[in-house]
Amino acid sequence: MKKILVTGSMGQIGSELVSHLRDRYGSSNVIASGRRKKNGSIADQGPFELLDVTDSEKTEAVVRNNKVNTIYHLASLLSATGEQDPQALWNINMNGLINVLEAARAHGCSVFFPSSIAVFGSQSPKDKTPQDTITRPSTIYGISKVSGELLCDYYHLKYGLDIRGLRYPGIISNVALPGGGTTDYAVLIFYDALKDGRHTCFLKEDTALDFIYMPDALEGAVKLMEADPAKLRHRNAFNITAMSITPKQLAAAIKEHKPDFTIDYEIDPVRQEIADSWPNSLDDSEARTQWGWDPQYDLKKMTTDMLEVLAARIN
Ligand code: SER
């Protein structure tokens, strides 16, 4: 039976992954954890542990005490926050990861590690960026994700641990807000559209980046973790995408539902530079052929669902 620990469970992905995993494997088998506990969150709906993954002893103890055999390691700082404090990012993203890998090694756990489009940099091909290509990022976040991918593969090769990962693009969702990422505009735009009918975007209107909708992000993680290992030629980490879109295209999709919606632009130079160093679009064919990545939401379907779900929640 699976006993799953989710680190960083109060964040954008964790807030929804924990419920998704609890529906699938049973509430008592999924232990949410985080540095803080948010009242009224998934922390109140099942097992929860206060856990800062930079604390190696506590990380090992939480795994041991709960007889964990699978870890979804989500605790991480994102790209824009990382540029404000690179040392803090390195501490959380890298020391946190090795503590999780060491706990996994001590107790024979499988690990899911979310990597990112941030592993690519200006030397990578811009369009249909392949699975295997140059990964020389210019952000500390991207550097931590490339290093993390290599470290995860190393623990697989050296110690035989089952570690798998996805290169997530921007994730659009409606439960917890993302914090400190470059792709955050694509979430904030929906809240602003519903509350104020207007959004000021921090990226230029023609900045193309890959995105997926949260239900696909969750299903992708679980599907990869359940895939037949004999079919995986890669492990860390698979390119995945569902749509390559610009702020202008996203605004147009929202306008179809809300004709009075307007967008203007106040460019944040830090996040624009980061976005410009990332691919316009990814080639995710390896994920499709090796383990059946098959996203259900394109721009139109995601926009319709986001507006519907969020309108009900905000009202
Ligand atoms: N969403 C992340 C960010 O913008 C990318 O992985 O930092």
Side-chain angles (χ1 to χ4, degrees), residues 11-13 76-82 176-182 184 187-188 271:
Q12 185 196 10
I13 303 175
S76 163
L77 292 189
L78 292 181
S79 58
T81 309
L177 286 172
T182 301
D184 294 7
V187 178
L188 303 175
R271 283 185 282 201

Side-chain angles (χ1 to χ4, degrees), residues 12 77-80 115-118 141 145 168-171 178-184 274 278:
Q12 185 196 10
L77 292 189
L78 292 181
S79 58
S115 185
S116 164
I117 50 171
Y141 174 68
K145 290 298 182 186
Y168 277 132
I171 300 176
T182 301
T183 54
D184 294 7
I274 295 173
W278 290 352

Side-chain angles (χ1 to χ4, degrees), residues 12 170-173 178 182-194 197-213 242-265 297-307 310:
Q12 185 196 10
I171 300 176
I172 299 171
S173 67
T182 301
T183 54
D184 294 7
Y185 88 84
V187 178
L188 303 175
I189 194 172
F190 284 98
Y191 285 80
D192 286 349
L194 287 164
R198 56 182 300 278
H199 173 70
T200 301
C201 186
F202 56 70
L203 294 182
K204 290 182 193 160
E205 63 173 21
D206 57 353
T207 309
L209 290 169
D210 283 293
F211 287 92
I212 54 178
Y213 194 33
M243 59 196 105
S244 161
I245 52 171
T246 64
K248 193 175 171 181
Q249 288 167 333
L250 183 51
I254 292 172
K255 242 173 144 37
E256 283 190 21
H257 298 262
K258 302 189 79 58
D260 295 337
F261 173 68
T262 59
I263 184 165
D264 58 16
Y265 298 88
Y297 288 86
D298 60 10
L299 173 59
K300 200 175 161 70
K301 197 170 162 198
M302 174 278 294
T303 303
T304 306
D305 198 66
M306 269 298 276
L307 289 171
L310 213 49

Side-chain angles (χ1 to χ4, degrees), residues 20 74 78 148 160 178 245 314:
H20 190 76
L74 307 180
L78 292 181
I245 52 171
I314 286 173

Side-chain angles (χ1 to χ4, degrees), residues 99-238:
N99 290 343
V100 164
L101 293 177
E102 277 299 290
R105 183 162 80 92
H107 299 283
C109 305
S110 308
V111 180
F112 172 78
F113 171 68
S115 185
S116 164
I117 50 171
V119 297
F120 300 111
S122 53
Q123 296 169 57
S124 314
K126 269 280 190 222
D127 298 301
K128 291 274 163 211
T129 309
Q131 175 68 42
D132 299 309
T133 186
I134 299 168
T135 45
R136 306 272 305 171
S138 51
T139 62
I140 191 70
Y141 174 68
I143 293 167
S144 79
K145 290 298 182 186
V146 178
S147 311
E149 287 187 4
L150 294 172
L151 193 61
C152 287
D153 275 345
Y154 181 79
Y155 269 66
H156 169 64
L157 290 171
K158 180 100 178 160
Y159 303 117
L161 289 188
D162 184 8
I163 312 178
R164 310 175 186 191
L166 298 173
R167 287 179 182 146
Y168 277 132
I171 300 176
I172 299 171
S173 67
N174 50 49
V175 175
L177 286 172
T182 301
T183 54
D184 294 7
Y185 88 84
V187 178
L188 303 175
I189 194 172
F190 284 98
Y191 285 80
D192 286 349
L194 287 164
K195 284 191 198 141
D196 311 323
R198 56 182 300 278
H199 173 70
T200 301
C201 186
F202 56 70
L203 294 182
K204 290 182 193 160
E205 63 173 21
D206 57 353
T207 309
L209 290 169
D210 283 293
F211 287 92
I212 54 178
Y213 194 33
M214 186 61 92
D216 286 326
L218 304 179
E219 195 49 37
V222 170
K223 205 168 187 180
L224 172 63
M225 290 306 279
E226 288 184 349
D228 175 359
K231 298 208 169 112
L232 300 180
R233 282 183 293 103
H234 295 79
R235 279 184 168 263
N236 298 284
F238 284 93

